[in-house]
Every structure is written in structure tokens, then in C-alpha cells.
């Protein structure tokens, strides 16, 4: 059976390492929330399990209404999906024709080049700055007559810095109004930089913006797969039309709803992760290591050719981290005990 040519050179998505059965290790390889779901969320999921013989609400209407109320936007501008990665695929499916270009930062989220190719479009990667930040002026300059979408990952996975508001404003001023700027804010709840770009504010001013959010990280629901897009209603309708029918399962819908109602607990947990992030960054820098600023729940060690060896030595020490061969290592912020172990283990390593 001939496969699509796009599959031939599709880069693989490499999932973060998991602990072997029976082995104890801190899993700092997938930017997950180290805390289990809240009891109220677990209870809502357990209740909903009794109705699993029924299809879920196809458009996750109750969740969409709740998300809209949470952000103060029109529900017609909210589209839920099976994780924000799926939502991004639906965004691309809604706007890209074969051969269209999608400008994206690189290194960034490894799902991007895969989603772009599967949409039949062409990825145009734009290198990060030496500080591991998105180079938005260079991204604006990479826009051509064939560009349909510019992907903005803020904070950037796997390097950590957030785009600043004036940088995003300049990008939006520079790109034509028929080029979609997709602002992926998977880690927005962890951002503390007051100058960070605000995707929702950009969406209010520019109809060519779509904002992507997820329940996987701050809300701790990575295992359930639910995220959403915020857009102007006409674009949202297009994304909805391109979405998988019944894409958000029933348990994910109730868990996300219950999580939205538990804002206070979510913020307390996120604050704890942000405090650990500061301790991890300060500890690594005190050892003389170069670590870019991070506004997310992970830090980036630009180790170049040493990345793979660092990750395997870390695994042997009980710390699962995510290497990007030849480039660097991403370490998710985990429990305080994981920070302690990482800092004591790296203290003995050459810089
Ligand atoms: C984790 C992550 C997501 C979220 O993916 P889900 O499919 O919602 O779990 C989206 N974008 C980036 C940049 C991420 O790192």
C-alpha cells in the first residue's frame, strides 16, 4: 500500500521517558503536573464513568460555555478538542491548502513540524535567538505570499522563555491580516513575567489570532486529553468543522469542568511549581550552568552534544529528563524532592 509522501520524512514524536516497572524515578520528562488530580475532579470522573455507554456531548457544550465564561468571551469563539495538539491539527486543517507555508520557531514543540506536514503544508522553521528565545522579527521576515500560519509558542517548549507583549504586537503589525497567528499558551498559568505577551488581549485586537490552551499542564489532566482554541466565531466555526466528531471524551469533559471550578486549588499548585522552578534555576546557575529564563514548568540545559549522555546519567541517578540529541535537555519542574535530588546530583558534575 503506497503511503503519502508526507509520511516518508515525518520527524518522529519522541515521548518523555517513563520509569521501568518497579523502578523508582522522578518523571521530569513530559512537563506534567507532579500533583495528582484534585479529589473533586477524581469524584466527577468516577461519577461520569457510570454513563460511558453513551456518546459524549459532541461539541462539549457545557465545557465550552464554562471556558467562555472563564475568559469572558463568546462561546461561539471556543472550540474544544482532544488535547491542544489535536486542536492545532484542526486549526491547520481549517486554513491550510496543500503546499502552504507555516512559519514556526525552532527548536520548539516537536508536535509542530509533524502537524504541519500532516496538514499537507510546508514548515518554515526559524532559529531561536542565542538566548533560546523566539526570534519574532525573523519569523515576521520569513512570511511570504504562501504563508498561511505563524506559530508562536509562548512560553517556548522546550527552552522556557515567554514572548514579550511588544514582540507579539510587532509581529501582528508586520504580518498580513490573512495570515493566522496561532499563539500556543500551553504553559500560560506558570507565567510570572508582567511583560509577557497575552494571547487573549491579542485576539481581542486582531481577528487573525487563534489562542491554544490546554488542561494538560497546570490543571494536571494530561492523561485525559483536553484542550481548546479561542478565536473569532467565523474561524472557530471552521476549526469546529475540521474537528474529529466526539473528539473530547465524556470523562475529559467532566474533569475539565470540575477543574475550572477549582481555580483556587489549581493556582496554589501552580504557585508551588513556580517556587520550585525558581529554586531549580537558582541552584543550577549557582553551579555555574547556563540556563535560560523559564516562564513554564520546565528548564532547559543547552548541553549540545552532551545532552544524551546527561540524560542517561540522570536516569541512572533516578531522574527521568528529556534529551534533544545534540541540542539540550529539558527538565520538568517536579516535586521538591526531585529538585533536591537534581541539585545534589548535578553539584558533582562538571559544568
Ligand atoms: C504540552 C503542550 C501542549 C499541550 O498538549 P495537549 O495535547 O493539550 O496535552 C501544547 N503545546 C505545547 C507547546 C506543549 O508543550
Amino acid at each position: 500500500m503506497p503511503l503519502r509522501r508526507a509520511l516518508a520524512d515525518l520527524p518522529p514524536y519522541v515521548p518523555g521517558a517513563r520509569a521501568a516497572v518497579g523502578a523508582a524515578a522522578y518523571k521530569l520528562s513530559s512537563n506534567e503536573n507532579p500533583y495528582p488530580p484534585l479529589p473533586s475532579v477524581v469524584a466527577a470522573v468516577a461519577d461520569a464513568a457510570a454513563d460511558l455507554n453513551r456518546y459524549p456531548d459532541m461539541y462539549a457544550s457545557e465545557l465550552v460555555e464554562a471556558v467562555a465564561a472563564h475568559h469572558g468571551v463568546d462561546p461561539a469563539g471556543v472550540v474544544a478538542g482532544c488535547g491542544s495538539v489535536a486542536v492545532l491539527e484542526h486549526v491547520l486543517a481549517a486554513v491550510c491548502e496543500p503546499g502552504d507555508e507555516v512559519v514556526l520557531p525552532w527548536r520548539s514543540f516537536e508536535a509542530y513540524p509533524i502537524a504541519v506536514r500532516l496538514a499537507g503544508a510546508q514548515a518554515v522553521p526559524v532559529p531561536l535567538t542565542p538566548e533560546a528565545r523566539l526570534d519574532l522579527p525573523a519569523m515576521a521576515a520569513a512570511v511570504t505570499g504562501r504563508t498561511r500560519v505563524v506559530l508562536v509558542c509562548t512560553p517556548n517548549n522546550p527552552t522556557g522563555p515567554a514572548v514579550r507583549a511588544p514582540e507579539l504586537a510587532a509581529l501582528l503589525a508586520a504580518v498580513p491580516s490573512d495570515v493566522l497567528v496561532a499563539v500556543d499558551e500551553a504553559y500560560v498559568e506558570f507565567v510570572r513575567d508582567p511583560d509577557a505577551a497575552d494571547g487573549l488581549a491579542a485576539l481581542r485586537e486582531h481577528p487573525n489570532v487563534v489562542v491554544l490552551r490546554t488542561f494538560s499542564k497546570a490543571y494536571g489532566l494530561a492523561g485525559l486529553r483536553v484542550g481548546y482554541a479561542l478565536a473569532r466565531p467565523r474561524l472557530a466555526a471552521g476549526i469546529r468543522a475540521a474537528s474529529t466528531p466526539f473528539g473530547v471524551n465524556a470523562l475529559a469533559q467532566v474533569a475539565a469542568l470540575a477543574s475550572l471550578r477549582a481555580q483556587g486549588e489549581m493556582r496554589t499548585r501552580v504557585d508551588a511549581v513556580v517556587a520550585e522552578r525558581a529554586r531549580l534555576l537558582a541552584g543550577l546557575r549557582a553551579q555555574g550552568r547556563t540556563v535560560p529564563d523559564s516562564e513554564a514548568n520546565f528548564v532547559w540545559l543547552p548541553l549540545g552534544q552532551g545532552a544524551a549522555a546527561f540524560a542517561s546519567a540522570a536516569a541512572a541517578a533516578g531522574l527521568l529528563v528529556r534529551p534533544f540529541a545534540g541540542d539540550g535537555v529539558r527538565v520538568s519542574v517536579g516535586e521538591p524532592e526531585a529538585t533536591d535530588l537534581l541539585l545534589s546530583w548535578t553539584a558533582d558534575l562538571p559544568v
Side-chain angles (χ1 to χ4, degrees), residues 268-283:
T268 305
R269 289 172 164 204
V270 166
D271 284 345
V273 171
V274 167
E276 280 308 302
R277 172 179 82 199
R279 198 162 73 88
L280 188 55
L281 273 175

mmCIF file of all heavy atoms in Angstrom, residues 268-283:
data_model
loop_
_atom_site.group_PDB
_atom_site.id
_atom_site.type_symbol
_atom_site.label_atom_id
_atom_site.label_comp_id
_atom_site.label_asym_id
_atom_site.label_seq_id
_atom_site.Cartn_x
_atom_site.Cartn_y
_atom_site.Cartn_z
ATOM 1 N N THR A 268 -2.844 27.388 43.695
ATOM 2 C CA THR A 268 -1.927 27.033 44.783
ATOM 3 C C THR A 268 -0.870 26.050 44.281
ATOM 4 O O THR A 268 0.321 26.189 44.567
ATOM 5 C CB THR A 268 -2.733 26.389 45.937
ATOM 6 O OG1 THR A 268 -3.758 27.309 46.300
ATOM 7 C CG2 THR A 268 -1.862 26.090 47.137
ATOM 8 N N ARG A 269 -1.310 25.073 43.516
ATOM 9 C CA ARG A 269 -0.369 24.073 42.985
ATOM 10 C C ARG A 269 0.590 24.694 41.982
ATOM 11 O O ARG A 269 1.781 24.392 41.980
ATOM 12 C CB ARG A 269 -1.152 22.941 42.322
ATOM 13 C CG ARG A 269 -1.868 22.100 43.353
ATOM 14 C CD ARG A 269 -2.777 21.108 42.712
ATOM 15 N NE ARG A 269 -3.144 20.086 43.700
ATOM 16 C CZ ARG A 269 -3.532 18.867 43.393
ATOM 17 N NH1 ARG A 269 -3.618 18.507 42.140
ATOM 18 N NH2 ARG A 269 -3.819 18.005 44.335
ATOM 19 N N VAL A 270 0.065 25.559 41.130
ATOM 20 C CA VAL A 270 0.924 26.211 40.141
ATOM 21 C C VAL A 270 1.952 27.096 40.863
ATOM 22 O O VAL A 270 3.128 27.115 40.493
ATOM 23 C CB VAL A 270 0.072 27.006 39.124
ATOM 24 C CG1 VAL A 270 0.937 27.956 38.313
ATOM 25 C CG2 VAL A 270 -0.663 26.036 38.200
ATOM 26 N N ASP A 271 1.511 27.797 41.921
ATOM 27 C CA ASP A 271 2.458 28.620 42.680
ATOM 28 C C ASP A 271 3.580 27.760 43.258
ATOM 29 O O ASP A 271 4.743 28.183 43.295
ATOM 30 C CB ASP A 271 1.736 29.346 43.826
ATOM 31 C CG ASP A 271 0.923 30.537 43.325
ATOM 32 O OD1 ASP A 271 1.134 30.961 42.164
ATOM 33 O OD2 ASP A 271 0.071 31.037 44.089
ATOM 34 N N ALA A 272 3.239 26.555 43.709
ATOM 35 C CA ALA A 272 4.270 25.668 44.272
ATOM 36 C C ALA A 272 5.266 25.270 43.186
ATOM 37 O O ALA A 272 6.484 25.236 43.424
ATOM 38 C CB ALA A 272 3.618 24.424 44.880
ATOM 39 N N VAL A 273 4.778 25.002 41.995
ATOM 40 C CA VAL A 273 5.671 24.635 40.886
ATOM 41 C C VAL A 273 6.538 25.847 40.498
ATOM 42 O O VAL A 273 7.741 25.706 40.242
ATOM 43 C CB VAL A 273 4.854 24.116 39.669
ATOM 44 C CG1 VAL A 273 5.741 23.952 38.447
ATOM 45 C CG2 VAL A 273 4.177 22.789 40.022
ATOM 46 N N VAL A 274 5.943 27.030 40.503
ATOM 47 C CA VAL A 274 6.705 28.234 40.152
ATOM 48 C C VAL A 274 7.814 28.473 41.187
ATOM 49 O O VAL A 274 8.944 28.851 40.833
ATOM 50 C CB VAL A 274 5.759 29.456 40.025
ATOM 51 C CG1 VAL A 274 6.542 30.759 39.967
ATOM 52 C CG2 VAL A 274 4.872 29.309 38.789
ATOM 53 N N ALA A 275 7.513 28.216 42.458
ATOM 54 C CA ALA A 275 8.540 28.371 43.507
ATOM 55 C C ALA A 275 9.661 27.347 43.298
ATOM 56 O O ALA A 275 10.850 27.679 43.438
ATOM 57 C CB ALA A 275 7.908 28.208 44.884
ATOM 58 N N GLU A 276 9.304 26.112 42.953
ATOM 59 C CA GLU A 276 10.330 25.091 42.671
ATOM 60 C C GLU A 276 11.157 25.474 41.446
ATOM 61 O O GLU A 276 12.362 25.211 41.384
ATOM 62 C CB GLU A 276 9.686 23.725 42.422
ATOM 63 C CG GLU A 276 9.278 22.975 43.663
ATOM 64 C CD GLU A 276 10.405 22.860 44.671
ATOM 65 O OE1 GLU A 276 11.479 22.320 44.355
ATOM 66 O OE2 GLU A 276 10.203 23.341 45.800
ATOM 67 N N ARG A 277 10.503 26.055 40.463
ATOM 68 C CA ARG A 277 11.224 26.499 39.257
ATOM 69 C C ARG A 277 12.307 27.498 39.633
ATOM 70 O O ARG A 277 13.446 27.393 39.158
ATOM 71 C CB ARG A 277 10.229 27.139 38.289
ATOM 72 C CG ARG A 277 10.869 27.800 37.085
ATOM 73 C CD ARG A 277 9.806 28.378 36.166
ATOM 74 N NE ARG A 277 9.310 29.682 36.575
ATOM 75 C CZ ARG A 277 8.162 30.228 36.176
ATOM 76 N NH1 ARG A 277 7.347 29.557 35.376
ATOM 77 N NH2 ARG A 277 7.796 31.427 36.579
ATOM 78 N N ALA A 278 11.963 28.446 40.510
ATOM 79 C CA ALA A 278 12.927 29.468 40.917
ATOM 80 C C ALA A 278 14.103 28.812 41.655
ATOM 81 O O ALA A 278 15.270 29.159 41.442
ATOM 82 C CB ALA A 278 12.247 30.506 41.805
ATOM 83 N N ARG A 279 13.791 27.833 42.507
ATOM 84 C CA ARG A 279 14.836 27.163 43.273
ATOM 85 C C ARG A 279 15.733 26.346 42.339
ATOM 86 O O ARG A 279 16.960 26.340 42.482
ATOM 87 C CB ARG A 279 14.159 26.238 44.304
ATOM 88 C CG ARG A 279 15.071 25.802 45.440
ATOM 89 C CD ARG A 279 14.246 25.299 46.604
ATOM 90 N NE ARG A 279 13.634 24.001 46.384
ATOM 91 C CZ ARG A 279 14.225 22.837 46.647
ATOM 92 N NH1 ARG A 279 15.468 22.808 47.109
ATOM 93 N NH2 ARG A 279 13.590 21.700 46.441
ATOM 94 N N LEU A 280 15.127 25.694 41.359
ATOM 95 C CA LEU A 280 15.890 24.888 40.406
ATOM 96 C C LEU A 280 16.804 25.778 39.552
ATOM 97 O O LEU A 280 18.001 25.497 39.394
ATOM 98 C CB LEU A 280 14.901 24.121 39.528
ATOM 99 C CG LEU A 280 15.426 23.072 38.565
ATOM 100 C CD1 LEU A 280 16.273 22.036 39.281
ATOM 101 C CD2 LEU A 280 14.252 22.375 37.864
ATOM 102 N N LEU A 281 16.228 26.872 39.036
ATOM 103 C CA LEU A 281 17.025 27.791 38.210
ATOM 104 C C LEU A 281 18.185 28.363 39.005
ATOM 105 O O LEU A 281 19.336 28.367 38.547
ATOM 106 C CB LEU A 281 16.140 28.955 37.722
ATOM 107 C CG LEU A 281 15.347 28.754 36.442
ATOM 108 C CD1 LEU A 281 14.442 29.957 36.190
ATOM 109 C CD2 LEU A 281 16.303 28.589 35.259
ATOM 110 N N ALA A 282 17.887 28.830 40.215
ATOM 111 C CA ALA A 282 18.928 29.454 41.041
ATOM 112 C C ALA A 282 20.006 28.433 41.387
ATOM 113 O O ALA A 282 21.204 28.733 41.332
ATOM 114 C CB ALA A 282 18.318 30.051 42.311
ATOM 115 N N GLY A 283 19.590 27.208 41.722
ATOM 116 C CA GLY A 283 20.549 26.171 42.098
ATOM 117 C C GLY A 283 21.465 25.803 40.940
ATOM 118 O O GLY A 283 22.680 25.675 41.104
#
